């Protein structure tokens, strides 16, 4: 999903339906995704970007990483961590780990 679809959803859907504790970063973190409007609508507490190490596209784009950082949203990158496992609890707690490592 890129900026156009993000904008459409942010306008067409009530904010309550877009809120998410964990966000799978759209379009592998390309510069045409994760707009300010989208991040404001979703308000994630944790984000996971699926991208390969040294990928030809340079994903995630530096400006996308900066947008998550500016919102203090931890950005878990599969190119750095490998597979990531996330657990959500009814009390709102969110825990994650790179497989084979301790929970955080």
């Amino acid at each position: 999903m890129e900026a156009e679809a993000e904008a459409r959803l942010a306008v067409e859907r009530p904010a309550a339906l877009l809120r998410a504790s964990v966000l799978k970063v759209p379009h592998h973190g390309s510069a045409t995704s994760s707009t300010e409007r989208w991040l404001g609508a979703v308000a994630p507490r944790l984000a996971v970007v699926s991208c390969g190490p040294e990928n030809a596209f340079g994903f995630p784009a530096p400006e996308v990483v900066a947008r998550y950082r500016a919102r203090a949203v931890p950005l878990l990158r599969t190119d750095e961590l490998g597979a990531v496992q996330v657990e959500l609890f009814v009390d709102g707690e969110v825990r994650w780990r790179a497989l084979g490592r301790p929970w955080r």
Side-chain angles (χ1 to χ4, degrees):
M1 182 167 70
E2 297 182 71
E4 183 179 332
E6 291 177 1
R8 192 171 342 111
L9 282 173
V11 168
E12 294 174 359
R13 300 286 191 267
L17 293 179
L18 296 176
R19 297 270 187 248
S21 295
V22 179
L23 174 65
K24 189 275 184 191
V25 174
H27 201 237
H28 308 285
S30 78
T32 60
S33 70
S34 297
T35 60
E36 289 292 343
R37 182 180 207 168
W38 178 249
L39 293 178
V42 177
R45 295 182 14 228
L46 179 70
V48 180
V49 60
S50 176
C51 58
E54 301 178 26
N55 63 81
F57 301 100
F59 294 154
E63 57 268 38
V64 169
V65 172
R67 285 195 282 269
Y68 286 94
R69 186 173 292 133
R71 292 176 175 272
V73 176
L75 182 63
L76 309 181
R77 299 172 49 152
T78 61
D79 62 332
E80 296 175 346
L81 297 169
V84 172
Q85 182 178 0
V86 177
E87 283 191 344
L88 306 170
F89 296 85
V90 293
D91 67 359
E93 179 185 359
V94 176
R95 291 194 310 174
W96 69 271
R97 70 177 177 164
L99 291 184
R101 297 185 190 171
W103 287 97
R104 297 185 185 187

